[in-house]
Amino acid sequence: MRLTVFTDISLRIVMRLAVVGEGEVPTTRSVAEALAVPYTHAAKAVARLGEMGLVETRRGRGGGLRLTEAGHRASVGGIVRELEGAGDVVGCDDDPPCPLRSACRLRVALRQAQEAFFVSLDPITVDSLVAAPTGPMLLSLTARPPM
């Protein structure tokens, strides 16, 4: 199973915010630059993570991003489930719909495999993802100079 770019960016953002030092309040732009992702993509991900209660955003002077306590404790499986949705792995109902969809066993097998994938991520928390050596690497990331 391949995650969407949106989910990938969202996970990278929560990981980066999980290692933010006391008093540091990164902006969406600084996080996007450090993670080498487009600002517009990062802004959409931050908005969604805010809706999920994982990231707190503050606007204006002194504003920025902060990972909430729920964000630190969040299960990676839960985050991925929420961001990826419960959709089918394959497009059985696309246009045109698959002619096998009414009697297909593959669809059920793929749903079970997808759930097994999520279950394998359930015990992993955001905080556990940023243990060494990942945390120090995340702290060393800075905006890349323009080319």
Side-chain angles (χ1 to χ4, degrees):
M1 180 175 167
R2 185 176 177 105
L3 298 178
T4 62
V5 171
F6 183 76
T7 298
D8 176 40
I9 290 171
S10 298
L11 290 171
R12 287 195 264 164
I13 289 170
V14 295
M15 289 172 62
R16 176 62 182 99
L17 294 177
V19 297
V20 168
E22 190 68 32
E24 182 185 355
V25 187
T27 63
T28 302
R29 186 164 307 281
S30 69
V31 170
E33 289 173 357
L35 296 174
V37 299
Y39 169 77
T40 54
H41 291 37
K44 289 176 187 176
V46 165
R48 182 69 180 107
L49 293 166
E51 291 169 5
M52 293 169 62
L54 303 176
V55 172
E56 178 184 289
T57 61
R58 284 178 263 148
R59 293 179 172 259
R61 188 173 186 92
L65 309 175
R66 184 181 74 79
L67 192 65
T68 64
E69 283 304 314
H72 281 280
R73 294 187 317 269
S75 157
V76 174
I79 295 170
V80 172
R81 256 187 211 91
E82 183 74 23
L83 295 174
E84 290 289 317
D88 287 328
V89 176
V90 293
C92 301
D93 296 318
D94 289 350
D95 189 23
C98 176
L100 303 174
R101 74 182 181 281
S102 64
C104 184
R105 298 173 80 179
L106 178 61
R107 185 179 195 173
V108 172
L110 290 173
R111 278 190 191 147
Q112 290 171 339
Q114 180 183 35
E115 184 54 28
F117 174 75
F118 293 146
V119 167
S120 71
L121 295 173
D122 282 341
I124 303 167
T125 65
V126 171
D127 274 352
S128 70
L129 284 178
V130 297
T134 307
M137 171 62 81
L138 286 163
L139 287 171
S140 73
L141 297 178
T142 58
R144 297 180 182 184
M147 296 183 140

